[in-house]
Amino acid sequence: MMKKFTQKRLLYYLIKGTLVTVPVAGAVFLIVWVFASLDNALNLTTHFLEDEHGHPLYIPGIGILTVLVILILVGVVFTTFVTEPIRAWLKRTIDKIPLFNTLYSSIKDFTEAFVGDAKKFNEPVLVLVNETGLKKIGFLTQRDLNKIGLPDEVIVYFPYSYSVAGQVVVVKASNVQRLDMTATDAMKLVVSGGVSGID
């Protein structure tokens, strides 16, 4: 009886330890892996510095630091020195390059949706999918589709669980209901497969 109790207790502690350790270790591993990969790929010291044996010299953190400095400098230059006519000229020039224009505008819009002045993924909604009552959680990204001949429709973005991908869907505005939760909690709820975000 005592042996059975001890085994159950050990199993209980094992499960509890797993629940605490795996999310922390997984998050730390992913962050370290992403930063290490970026740092390794963008570390310029390996191209012009060598150690005493003639091998490329790798200084951890220089790649990430280089990117941060470049981003800040570009931000300062574009905010301070680049006037509206120059920005318009740059936009017209980019628009003339077929493939680059498509990639650039898509990436730019997606980036601005998260960190720009007009954030797009900040309005979580619940969408009625079919007559059986199936509903999906998404983010309202476009309210007015009159320009493409869809006056009563809106665009909703549905992120996939455990993924950075998602699905863009046009639905009737009457089937969209605003959710009483923050965009962060809604994203956590969807991306986690429904297991986190409601605390």
Side-chain angles (χ1 to χ4, degrees):
M1 186 73 177
M2 187 67 177
K3 186 179 178 182
K4 188 175 181 183
F5 173 78
T6 306
Q7 287 176 342
K8 278 187 176 180
R9 204 71 185 157
L10 285 174
L11 182 62
Y12 172 78
Y13 288 140
L14 175 65
I15 292 169
K16 284 294 182 183
T18 302
L19 290 174
V20 171
T21 306
V22 170
V24 173
V28 169
F29 172 78
L30 282 174
I31 291 170
V32 169
W33 179 77
V34 168
F35 272 86
S37 300
L38 283 172
D39 187 53
N40 190 40
L42 303 168
N43 202 316
L44 303 176
T45 57
T46 56
H47 299 293
F48 58 85
L49 289 181
E50 295 180 347
D51 60 17
E52 60 272 13
H53 303 294
H55 300 300
L57 185 63
Y58 172 72
I59 303 175
I62 292 295
I64 297 292
L65 185 62
T66 302
V67 172
L68 289 175
V69 169
I70 290 171
L71 291 176
I72 291 169
L73 287 175
V74 170
V76 169
V77 169
F78 264 77
T79 305
T80 311
F81 302 109
V82 178
T83 60
E84 197 56 46
I86 296 174
R87 291 181 192 179
W89 174 81
L90 282 171
K91 187 177 184 310
R92 285 196 306 272
T93 304
I94 290 171
D95 287 343
K96 292 176 183 176
I97 310 171
L99 180 60
F100 184 79
N101 168 40
T102 304
L103 293 172
Y104 169 81
S105 59
S106 299
I107 294 169
K108 180 176 179 287
D109 291 343
F110 190 76
T111 305
E112 286 183 344
F114 283 103
V115 296
D117 294 329
K119 295 182 180 70
K120 292 290 184 180
F121 299 110
N122 62 351
E123 192 170 350
V125 293
L126 191 66
V127 179
L128 179 65
V129 176
N130 59 32
E131 63 278 356
T132 64
L134 177 69
K135 297 174 183 177
K136 290 180 74 172
I137 294 173
F139 294 86
L140 188 63
T141 56
Q142 292 288 345
R143 289 179 171 276
D144 187 3
L145 298 182
N146 281 311
K147 287 184 179 178
I148 58 174
L150 300 170
D152 299 323
E153 313 274 329
V154 294
I155 290 180
V156 177
Y157 174 75
F158 294 116
Y160 292 140
S161 298
Y162 300 101
S163 173
V164 294
Q167 183 181 30
V168 175
V169 180
V170 177
V171 295
K172 287 276 187 189
S174 56
N175 289 338
V176 177
Q177 172 189 344
R178 182 127 166 68
L179 280 174
D180 186 20
M181 64 192 310
T182 66
T184 303
D185 286 340
M187 187 66 83
K188 280 169 60 179
L189 184 66
V190 176
V191 172
S192 70
V195 297
S196 68
I198 303 178
D199 298 322

